Amino acid sequence: MDDRALQPKEILAEVAVFSAVDKTLHYSVPESIRPKAAVGCRVLVPLGRREVMGLILSLGVPEHPPSQGIVVRPLRAVLDREALLPQGLLGLCRWVSTYYAYPLGEVLQNALPPAMEKSLSTRLELTREGLEHFAADSATPFVKLLLEKPHLSLQEIRRKRRNLGNWEEELRYLEAEGWVARTFDWKTNAATEETRKTASPCRIVPGEEAAVPPLELLPDQQAIYETLLPHIHRPAFKPFLLFGVTGSGKTEIYMRLVQAALEADAGVLILVPEIALSSQLESLFRQRFGNLLAVWHSRLPRPERSAHWTRLQAGEKRVLLGVRSAVFMPVPRLGLVIVDEEHDPSYKQEDSLRYHARDVAVMRARIQGVPIVLGSATPSLQSMAHCRSNRYTCLTLPNRVFQRPLPELQVVDMRRQSASNRILSRELRQTLAETMASGKQALLFLNRRGFATFTLCNVCGNVVQCAHCSVSLTYHQQWDRLCCHYCGWSRPLPDSCPTCGHASIFSHGFGTERLEEEVKQFLPGVPLARLDRDTTARPGRMAETLNAVRRGKAKILIGTQMIAKGHDFPDVTLVGIVNGDTSLQIADFRAGETTVQLLMQVAGRAGRGDTPGRVILQTYNPAHYTIDAVLKMDYLSFVEKELESRERLQYPPFTRLVKFLLTSPREENAREAAAQLAGLSREVAEDLRSENRHVAVLGPSSAVHARLKNRFRWHVFVKAWTNRDLQELINRVLSRKKGLAPLNRVHLAVDRDPVMTL
Ligand code: ADP
Ligand code: ZN
């Protein structure tokens, strides 16, 4: 199995290795392993002097072969008996790798279970031929060891290697002769067995009577269901936007579609933005689909993830309900994709592979040729624009079920409140008290956690900042410390100002912790619950809290955006938006969109049962156009206006953006690299212009959070009018940046369709 020159028309394996290599590599396929080599199987391949794992993407005479005469190296081993990933997912990963400019090998790891990453343990065993061959022969020490100890792992052999001579070379020879085979175990198999034993047997078979029968669809729901049903029976790619106000009964439509897909023997992928939401949907789906359901979220322990993956792959689980990374999971015979709350920013991953799960889901549906339903009460402007251009089919549910009224909204101008009512206005206090008196529940929304949001010296004006980030620290009473919400660093409250030394340090602003205290003082004895990242650190706490609210054990629920989405609490009749301005202060072009979406979602939690709801929105900007849109609960006219302004300013969705983010522990390195990248982008833009293609380069500039986790951050934006031109620019910039010293000293992240533009 030596490296040798490439033969004309030779069949090669195209492999994506599981490390940060930005191209796929070609290897020859030795006779001995040819029958086992299949697309989608993992393989061991040489890479430089290392041996690494990868996945076969294609087999055949390559369209653009490495030039003749060039040396190709052989695959060392095939690790799977059959393809781990189906063609459709491979195609999706390829698209993701190109679109988000991320190494394919690393993209693929998102689609494989965690334990199948690089470090699995390799065991060696003699094959039948090997056993026969060596039965008569006097064997080498290495072979003797294999005879004595079948299934020895490579690690164990390495530990014993002193008296084994050059066993690595010997192994290569033994493998080439077909006398030794490698087996690979990943701990997941054991874990699967474990969960199999404990799991109850699969009870629900589609068609059989389900544990909880479906609700009878209301006429509006029925109409939409009937529109979608034929697309499940004759699957082809077709995107739908289900634009239904909060409480219009979207969930029941999803469940009926899932049922229909299961009856047609297809699998379904349902994405939800956050675990908080998945827990409520989970119980609804669990009641309906029992053991066919798998749930996927970020807090799932690794063995369970692997077990889910295996059971999906095996077709035991056919409905996957999960957060963004579930978009890469091998749902068997995929027949339908649903993305709930499709506008939600948490579908965007903000580190390593910076993908948007909704967009990837749409591409997956396209590649696999299935319908996709994007649902929201406040769809993204991007999806609304697609509806206008007829790329998506828009289905609307303009009313709540049973014509329940949307909540009545009242805006309170906080500039007119007395100092003692700065957190809870007079109006909110009064309504809160009335709501409690009538035995109903209330929800108080504040999009900031902690007790006080910044700490400042009254003499010199210095704000106490994180030691590692250019971020002001939040005071948390729970720990009596100032904490950084970006890196987790914390410190005690200083007695005097770290800058000027005066004992004049005061904390200002308020978060959910402070709000809780304020409510406790105002309504002593009323049972409260708080839901934010601090109260849900322990697994299971979130579900406990939500259950307490649902069972009426907690009368007032205080929380961050965790309480905004999806929840259906029929007894909540009052929603208080404590500070409607928090996300408006951000200078991002999407600030208006995200504010309206968030506030309308929160408001939508009120009055979902039989008693009509009320919403009190406290704000310092009562005249702001977004507050006005929320007040009227009129999303559509907001969208019209906002799209007009985006078009005028040539922002997405009318243009396409990419952000190049350059970070370094050294400020000057990040700055220099950003300048160089901007220069390079401008050169490429100039070249493109001569081909009559247009892109605009903006920057370089320092990010608003100029330093996070000890890294200085600079960025460059490029705007284009078509995806094709933007892709071309990215490709050319990345291929020309090699060899440019300042750029290679820093970390470069390519953020396509960035959600954070500051
Ligand atoms: P959305 O997700 O659109 O905000 P939900 O799906 O949570 O709305 O539905 C709102 C409420 O209406 C829920 O309590 C749900 O049980 C109820 N509901 C939905 N569809 C029906 C139906 N067909 N018959 C009776 N109740 C329904
Ligand atoms: Zn920090």
Side-chain angles (χ1 to χ4, degrees):
M1 304 222 296
D2 289 328
D3 305 347
R4 50 173 181 68
L6 177 65
Q7 307 298 305
K9 300 256 167 190
E10 177 169 353
I11 290 192
L12 296 182
E14 184 193 15
V15 173
V17 296
F18 295 165
S19 58
V21 175
D22 54 12
K23 282 199 174 61
T24 58
L25 305 171
H26 287 89
Y27 293 89
S28 65
V29 188
E31 251 353 292
S32 60
I33 59 177
R34 185 152 305 163
K36 291 202 275 179
V39 171
C41 287
R42 286 168 310 147
V43 286
L44 277 186
V45 294
L47 181 69
R49 279 200 237 142
R50 290 180 301 151
E51 194 167 74
V52 296
M53 209 194 278
L55 196 92
I56 302 184
L57 295 171
S58 65
L59 275 169
V61 180
E63 216 175 296
H64 305 287
S67 44
Q68 295 287 311
I70 210 166
V71 169
V72 285
R73 305 175 75 183
L75 294 181
R76 291 272 163 79
V78 178
L79 308 186
D80 302 299
R81 274 187 210 102
E82 51 193 57
L84 272 185
L85 292 182
Q87 284 280 2
L89 269 184
L90 283 181
L92 182 73
C93 289
R94 270 198 206 249
W95 177 83
V96 166
S97 164
T98 309
Y99 190 82
Y100 294 106
Y102 207 73
L104 179 54
E106 301 200 350
V107 173
L108 285 167
Q109 287 185 37
N110 285 282
L112 293 170
M116 289 201 192
E117 286 158 15
K118 287 156 270 191
S119 56
L120 81 183
S121 92
T122 309
R123 295 179 184 276
L124 298 180
E125 76 185 322
L126 287 161
T127 59
R128 197 150 43 84
E129 295 79 13
L131 283 168
E132 276 166 21
H133 180 83
F134 289 112
D137 214 345
S138 63
T140 63
F142 179 52
V143 172
K144 272 200 189 120
L145 183 66
L146 295 180
L147 279 166
E148 282 161 22
K149 300 203 167 139
H151 296 292
L152 210 55
S153 77
L154 273 180
Q155 287 97 308
E156 286 167 286
I157 296 172
R158 287 207 178 97
R159 258 180 264 130
K160 295 184 199 237
R161 73 182 148 209
R162 250 174 304 125
N163 36 21
L164 293 179
N166 192 351
W167 66 274
E168 274 163 321
E169 193 162 302
E170 195 181 341
L171 174 61
R172 228 166 284 152
Y173 162 75
L174 294 171
E175 278 190 287
E177 293 291 332
W179 291 330
V180 167
R182 295 176 191 232
T183 55
F184 298 89
D185 43 40
W186 38 87
K187 296 189 187 80
T188 53
N189 284 359
T192 315
E193 285 311 315
E194 231 11 76
T195 39
R196 264 203 194 118
K197 267 182 246 152
T198 52
S200 51
C202 188
R203 277 174 292 110
I204 294 180
V205 184
E208 214 175 89
E209 207 176 340
V212 173
L215 299 172
E216 195 176 322
L217 292 180
L218 299 163
D220 283 356
Q221 290 172 317
Q222 183 71 25
I224 287 177
Y225 176 66
E226 279 170 17
T227 310
L228 290 168
L229 199 55
H231 297 278
I232 289 171
H233 291 140
R234 266 175 281 107
F237 172 61
K238 191 157 170 66
F240 294 92
L241 180 69
L242 177 51
F243 175 18
V245 296
T246 54
S248 58
K250 296 186 285 296
T251 317
E252 188 59 36
I253 299 180
Y254 299 152
M255 288 196 285
R256 293 292 281 270
L257 294 172
V258 173
Q259 185 72 34
L262 286 175
E263 280 162 14
D265 203 29
V268 186
L269 169 66
I270 305 134
L271 296 182
V272 288
E274 262 165 305
I275 167 178
L277 185 49
S278 80
S279 59
Q280 182 169 26
L281 274 184
E282 179 182 349
S283 58
L284 283 174
F285 273 69
R286 179 86 54 204
Q287 288 167 6
R288 225 36 100 72
F289 306 111
N291 285 335
L292 294 180
L293 177 72
V295 176
W296 185 267
H297 55 73
S298 49
R299 291 184 184 180
L300 215 57
R302 281 163 69 103
E304 254 177 74
R305 279 175 182 236
S306 304
H308 277 343
W309 188 92
T310 314
R311 294 164 139 213
L312 281 166
Q313 177 84 332
E316 283 172 46
K317 301 281 182 189
R318 295 175 38 208
V319 180
L320 179 64
L321 176 70
V323 298
R324 64 176 177 240
S325 54
V327 75
F328 292 107
M329 288 301 102
V331 176
R333 295 184 301 283
L334 187 69
L336 171 67
V337 180
I338 295 171
V339 182
D340 191 23
E341 312 285 0
E342 66 89 33
H343 65 278
D344 200 291
S346 62
Y347 280 124
K348 178 78 192 315
Q349 175 150 305
E350 291 296 352
D351 56 14
S352 50
L353 172 56
R354 294 166 183 258
Y355 67 101
H356 198 299
R358 182 238 296 132
D359 298 344
V360 175
V362 172
M363 190 44 79
R364 181 162 182 183
R366 162 178 276 181
I367 289 174
Q368 300 202 244
V370 300
I372 177 166
V373 178
L374 310 175
S376 175
T378 51
S380 62
L381 288 197
Q382 178 181 318
S383 296
M384 292 300 268
H386 282 324
C387 287
R388 277 182 161 191
S389 62
N390 291 324
R391 248 176 286 176
Y392 292 2
T393 306
C394 191
L395 307 169
T396 48
L397 284 171
N399 300 308
R400 285 187 158 183
V401 293
F402 306 120
Q403 309 296 316
R404 280 176 194 150
L406 281 169
E408 193 188 305
L409 245 112
Q410 181 187 351
V411 169
V412 173
D413 185 349
M414 293 306 280
R415 295 170 304 187
R416 300 188 178 175
Q417 296 289 323
S418 62
S420 57
N421 291 342
R422 220 161 260 152
I423 298 179
L424 295 172
S425 62
R426 211 164 38 83
E427 291 83 344
L428 186 50
R429 282 173 195 269
Q430 194 184 334
T431 324
L432 202 51
E434 284 166 16
T435 307
M436 292 303 110
S438 66
K440 295 290 182 184
Q441 290 175 301
L443 223 138
L444 296 178
F445 169 76
L446 176 60
N447 211 8
R448 281 188 308 222
R449 60 197 174 93
F451 193 84
T453 46
F454 60 101
T455 298
L456 161 102
C457 170
N458 275 2
V459 173
C460 73
N462 176 51
V463 174
V464 185
Q465 293 212 332
C466 174
H468 310 284
C469 311
S470 51
V471 165
S472 57
L473 296 171
T474 301
Y475 177 67
H476 285 253
Q477 196 175 51
Q478 192 177 353
W479 302 295
D480 189 23
R481 287 178 86 84
L482 294 171
C483 304
C484 173
H485 286 181
Y486 287 82
C487 73
W489 185 77
S490 72
R491 58 163 294 164
L493 256 180
D495 297 328
S496 57
C497 173
T499 309
C500 74
H502 283 91
S504 52
I505 286 281
F506 295 93
S507 290
H508 304 264
F510 56 92
T512 46
E513 219 183 15
R514 173 75 199 279
L515 175 60
E516 184 180 7
E517 195 153 291
E518 190 81 7
V519 177
K520 263 187 200 153
Q521 276 169 19
F522 171 58
L523 294 169
V526 171
L528 306 181
R530 198 178 98 219
L531 206 61
D532 55 33
R533 227 182 310 151
D534 303 312
T535 63
T536 54
R538 185 165 65 71
R541 267 301 296 279
M542 166 128 39
E544 281 167 31
T545 307
L546 292 173
N547 275 334
V549 178
R550 202 156 301 125
R551 279 188 274 108
K553 291 263 185 321
K555 289 294 180 194
I556 301 177
L557 176 63
I558 294 166
T560 55
Q561 91 281 353
M562 274 187 189
I563 66 170
K565 303 164 188 170
H567 306 293
D568 187 35
F569 301 120
D571 274 341
V572 168
T573 57
L574 171 66
V575 164
I577 296 170
V578 176
N579 185 342
D581 307 317
T582 35
S583 57
L584 279 181
Q585 292 141 9
I586 301 167
D588 186 279
F589 72 88
R590 278 197 198 85
E593 178 182 354
T594 43
T595 303
V596 172
Q597 288 166 344
L598 188 59
L599 297 185
M600 286 186 74
Q601 289 287 333
V602 186
R605 300 309 111 210
R608 295 167 69 90
D610 298 328
T611 319
R614 280 189 73 177
V615 179
I616 292 185
L617 200 174
Q618 305 190 145
T619 174
Y620 286 91
N621 300 284
H624 198 277
Y625 74 112
T626 56
I627 301 292
D628 193 50
V630 179
L631 179 64
K632 297 190 177 120
M633 283 298 240
D634 183 359
Y635 191 64
L636 211 52
S637 53
F638 166 76
V639 168
E640 294 293 319
K641 260 185 257 150
E642 192 73 0
L643 279 177
E644 227 169 77
S645 113
R646 295 267 183 99
E647 186 164 19
R648 200 170 51 244
L649 301 167
Q650 291 293 289
Y651 278 130
F654 299 95
T655 51
R656 300 288 185 152
L657 285 183
V658 65
K659 173 168 86 174
F660 293 107
L661 175 65
L662 302 114
T663 65
S664 164
R666 299 186 53 167
E667 154 96 277
E668 69 273 21
N669 285 359
R671 186 171 4 97
E672 261 176 48
Q676 190 173 46
L677 192 96
L680 183 55
S681 302
R682 291 201 163 90
E683 281 170 30
V684 172
E686 206 46 51
D687 293 349
L688 287 172
R689 197 195 317 278
S690 66
E691 300 161 30
N692 212 5
R693 305 166 75 171
H694 298 280
V695 298
V697 180
L698 318 157
S701 57
S702 171
V704 160
H705 292 309
R707 186 170 65 129
L708 287 182
K709 299 182 185 174
N710 281 332
R711 300 186 71 91
F712 289 89
R713 302 151 58 82
W714 278 74
H715 51 215
V716 176
F717 281 88
V718 181
K719 185 194 266 190
W721 281 262
T722 68
N723 252 330
R724 216 178 108 253
D725 290 349
L726 194 58
Q727 186 71 55
E728 189 58 32
L729 175 124
I730 294 169
N731 294 351
R732 291 194 198 180
V733 165
L734 293 184
S735 74
R736 280 166 63 178
K737 89 168 180 60
K738 298 203 175 92
L740 294 179
L743 267 171
N744 288 324
R745 275 202 294 268
V746 303
H747 182 265
L748 166 65
V750 179
D751 191 352
R752 187 95 183 246
D753 307 325
V755 164
M756 304 222 251
T757 57
L758 301 170

